[in-house]
Amino acid sequence: MRLRRVPGIEKEFLNYPHLVIADNETQKGKWQQHFANENPVYLEVGMGRGQFLKAMSQSLPNANFIALELRDEVIFDAAQTLGDELKNVAVLRGNADSLDKWFAPQEVNRLYLNFSDPWPKKRHGKRRLTHENFLKQYKQILAKNGDVFFRTDVRQLMEFTLTEMTNNGFSLVDVSLDFHNSEFFDGITTEYEDKKSKHGPIYYGHFVLK
Ligand code: SAM
């Protein structure tokens, strides 16, 4: 899938010069320089409208948060939520299949995958963000022992993810089949999570790159 561009939206993103990155490629290997510190780099893939990113970046000010999103109209909403003032946040427009173009090997310390699209049909399996093709990308950019934190409301996607991750070089550290009633939940949620948790359990997995 390609970045879903909205005509004329570049002009809107100019209002957020410190937030929305204009040229992803030029940042490769230079993310700590971008933030002018040596703090760890945490990447959220499939950010949505920015609720989780905003809360996490405020809760962990000594980490640099970068969020990737495919859809321009969603990024536009996120930019309005985030504003241009958060010093430890950047947003990338693009597809997770190109992460190795924008990050140097081992440049990322942690990855968040929250409520990734489940793509239930088998023939769409390669679009799932925990399909082995995406895991290859994550492995290229993650530091040794880098973490992946995963949440979903879709049991089949949880099962698929557990299998795919553990078959492709990641170890399972923690798992919960009822995240919100578990010791792992700190109260920070995404937009999807707020909607979906009213109707059933949230599944959670914490993995580490071997
Ligand atoms: N994480 C948010 C939340 O929990 O509220 C949004 C969840 S939404 C179901 C999935 C998001 O992932 C969508 O905004 C979609 O555009 C984005 N997405 C899907 N595939 C992507 C890809 N290959 N690269 C980047 N973003 C992607």
Side-chain angles (χ1 to χ4, degrees):
M1 273 189 309
R2 300 177 56 193
L3 172 66
R4 238 173 56 200
R5 290 182 185 276
V6 175
I9 207 158
E10 263 84 9
K11 202 159 45 75
E12 298 293 341
F13 291 146
L14 293 177
N15 293 326
Y16 303 92
H18 302 293
L19 180 71
V20 184
I21 301 296
D23 184 353
N24 298 0
E25 272 88 0
T26 58
Q27 303 297 326
K28 183 172 178 171
K30 297 184 190 152
W31 282 105
Q32 284 178 327
Q33 269 169 260
H34 173 88
F35 291 106
N37 61 44
E38 295 188 346
N39 293 340
V41 170
Y42 296 170
L43 173 66
E44 183 184 14
V45 175
M47 159 189 67
R49 294 188 157 77
Q51 173 177 314
F52 177 84
L53 181 66
K54 184 170 190 181
M56 287 300 286
S57 64
Q58 289 171 334
S59 148
L60 300 176
N62 294 324
N64 299 319
F65 281 86
I66 303 168
L68 176 71
E69 172 54 55
L70 196 59
R71 291 165 57 199
D72 264 350
E73 72 275 23
V74 174
I75 296 175
F76 180 66
D77 287 351
Q80 289 179 311
T81 299
L82 294 160
D84 208 27
E85 300 296 317
L86 294 164
K87 298 276 176 277
N88 60 335
V89 177
V91 171
L92 286 178
R93 302 162 63 208
N95 190 320
D97 65 4
S98 300
L99 285 170
D100 59 342
K101 293 188 194 142
W102 312 322
F103 295 90
Q106 306 201 22
E107 199 171 11
V108 173
N109 302 89
R110 182 181 285 189
L111 209 71
Y112 293 100
L113 295 168
N114 295 322
F115 299 84
S116 307
D117 297 312
W119 294 109
K121 290 188 180 143
K122 201 173 171 189
R123 69 173 189 277
H124 293 147
K126 285 189 178 171
R127 297 182 189 175
R128 296 175 199 142
L129 284 174
T130 48
H131 184 277
E132 65 172 313
N133 291 353
F134 283 110
L135 300 188
K136 278 184 197 146
Q137 286 283 322
Y138 307 155
K139 279 157 76 173
Q140 291 220 38
I141 63 167
L142 265 179
K144 196 162 183 284
N145 298 323
D147 299 286
V148 178
F149 291 95
F150 175 85
R151 300 180 191 185
T152 184
D153 59 310
V154 181
R155 192 177 173 102
Q156 290 88 335
L157 184 64
M158 182 69 194
E159 289 168 0
F160 173 83
T161 298
L162 284 169
T163 307
E164 207 76 348
M165 298 284 291
T166 50
N167 282 344
N168 287 284
F170 292 87
S171 307
L172 183 63
V173 180
D174 292 311
V175 68
S176 173
L177 304 182
D178 188 5
F179 179 47
H180 283 200
N181 291 308
S182 77
E183 64 192 287
F184 310 118
F185 183 51
D186 62 5
I188 294 181
T189 57
T190 78
E191 299 92 25
Y192 257 72
E193 193 162 358
D194 288 345
K195 284 187 209 142
K196 300 292 182 177
S197 59
K198 293 187 185 126
H199 305 291
I202 301 303
Y203 307 105
Y204 163 87
H206 172 196
F207 304 86
V208 72
L209 181 62
K210 285 188 216 165

